[in-house]
């Protein structure tokens, strides 16, 4: 059965990190009143490369549902056809896509959870956080559950979307944002080490030994993303 193909029109392009050449791209799905997806899912973009070969690449959606719009985060990769195509896209230009796809989603009933990400693996986590803690006037969906977001990167200027998560953490008592650096300078006052090590050493004491670990990497889209859901 053929998949419906839509056109995504770029409406906004933001540089998130100059050293990492990482961009946040906002799209409108033309011809649709609503793009129905769950936070954590992905879309697959379609394009023809310079050799005439049809290419497909999957990218996690980096936003909560909002009408016919969706966002993605992408790093420029030297020699990478699709990453450079997306990074060079100008506002008003469009790309074909199909989706949403994927099973990396929040589970019901919602439990206290730790979201873990590195690099552009932050994309689906942004969707989760936006959905649970909306700042557009919609009702909070976190149900009072404690939600931790732990982001691992090498250097102090590495955390993507840092301002967004720090703002939400400052306004929501049950959302906690933690950065940990694997190559921190001596002046860095925060957490150090790899993200998985930090989580193992700093999980809330009441949750030790009762973790249900559900890693679900998105196919071809992001890397090193996991969700820890806690029972009790």
């Amino acid at each position: 059965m053929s998949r419906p193909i839509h056109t995504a029109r770029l409406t906004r392009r933001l540089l998130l990190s100059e050293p990492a050449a990482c961009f946040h791209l906002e799209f409108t799905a033309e011809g649709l009143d609503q793009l129905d997806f769950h936070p954590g899912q992905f879309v697959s973009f379609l394009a023809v490369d310079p050799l005439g070969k049809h290419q497909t690449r999957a990218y996690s959606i980096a936003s909560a549902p909002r009408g016919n719009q969706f966002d993605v985060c992408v790093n420029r990769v030297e020699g990478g056809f699709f990453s450079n195509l997306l990074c060079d896209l100008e506002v008003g230009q469009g790309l074909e896509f199909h989706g949403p796809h994927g099973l990396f989603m929040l589970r019901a009933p919602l439990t206290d959870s730790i979201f873990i990400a590195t690099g552009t693996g932050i994309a689906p986590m942004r969707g989760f956080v936006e959905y649970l803690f909306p700042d557009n006037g919609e009702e909070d969906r976190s149900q009072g559950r404690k939600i931790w977001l732990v982001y691992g990167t090498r250097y102090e200027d590495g955390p993507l979307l840092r301002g967004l998560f720090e703002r939400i953490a400052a306004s929501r008592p049950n959302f906690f944002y933690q950065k940990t650096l694997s190559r921190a300078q001596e002046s860095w006052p925060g957490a150090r080490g790899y993200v998985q090590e930090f989580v193992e050493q700093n999980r809330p004491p009441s949750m030790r030994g009762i973790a249900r670990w559900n890693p679900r990497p998105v196919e071809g889209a992001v890397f090193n993303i996991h969700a820890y859901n806690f029972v009790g």
Side-chain angles (χ1 to χ4, degrees):
M1 185 173 63
S2 61
R3 294 166 168 168
I5 304 298
H6 308 288
T7 297
R9 188 73 56 186
L10 184 66
T11 57
R12 194 180 184 203
R13 177 175 178 266
L14 300 173
L15 178 63
L16 294 181
S17 170
E18 189 169 352
C22 182
F23 292 86
H24 182 83
L25 306 178
E26 300 181 5
F27 291 94
T28 295
E30 291 190 338
L32 297 179
D33 294 326
Q34 184 79 24
L35 180 65
D36 293 318
F37 67 90
H38 296 283
Q41 290 190 296
F42 65 93
V43 295
S44 292
F45 286 108
L46 313 171
V48 179
D49 68 19
L51 299 178
K53 182 178 179 180
H54 291 264
Q55 300 277 3
T56 303
R57 291 292 183 276
Y59 288 89
S60 289
I61 299 173
S63 54
R66 61 173 195 279
N68 64 345
Q69 299 176 317
F70 68 96
D71 307 347
V72 301
C73 291
V74 57
N75 279 341
R76 186 184 297 278
V77 178
E78 185 176 355
F81 166 69
F82 238 107
S83 70
N84 284 282
L85 176 66
L86 284 168
C87 288
D88 292 336
L89 209 62
E90 297 290 342
V91 171
Q93 293 183 309
L95 275 180
E96 290 186 333
F97 76 97
H98 57 72
H101 307 294
L103 299 174
F104 185 62
M105 297 178 288
L106 295 170
R107 303 300 185 192
L110 183 67
T111 65
D112 292 351
S113 303
I114 300 179
F115 303 148
I116 304 171
T118 65
T120 52
I122 198 65
M125 306 309 178
R126 183 182 191 268
F128 291 154
V129 173
E130 275 195 347
Y131 175 78
L132 294 172
F133 304 101
D135 61 0
N136 59 359
E138 295 183 3
E139 186 177 353
D140 185 295
R141 301 185 182 94
S142 68
Q143 303 170 32
R145 293 294 188 177
K146 293 180 180 179
I147 306 296
W148 287 263
L149 172 59
V150 184
Y151 187 88
T153 188
R154 294 179 179 179
Y155 306 109
E156 186 172 356
D157 61 356
L160 304 177
L161 302 168
R162 175 177 178 174
L164 169 68
F165 296 125
E166 288 180 342
R167 186 179 74 248
I168 295 174
S171 63
R172 306 298 176 104
N174 59 324
F175 176 67
F176 310 92
Y177 174 55
Q178 175 67 56
K179 305 173 293 296
T180 180
L181 308 187
S182 60
R183 299 184 182 179
Q185 296 183 352
E186 291 185 6
S187 59
W188 169 247
R192 299 168 180 266
Y194 292 105
V195 64
Q196 65 272 21
E197 297 171 351
F198 177 88
V199 171
E200 288 300 323
Q201 296 168 7
N202 295 277
R203 282 185 293 172
S206 62
M207 296 180 178
R208 290 189 183 277
I210 54 172
R212 184 173 71 247
W213 183 31
N214 298 317
R216 292 188 178 274
V218 179
E219 299 88 335
V222 297
F223 55 92
N224 290 343
I225 59 173
H226 304 284
Y228 284 80
N229 295 319
F230 294 97
V231 183

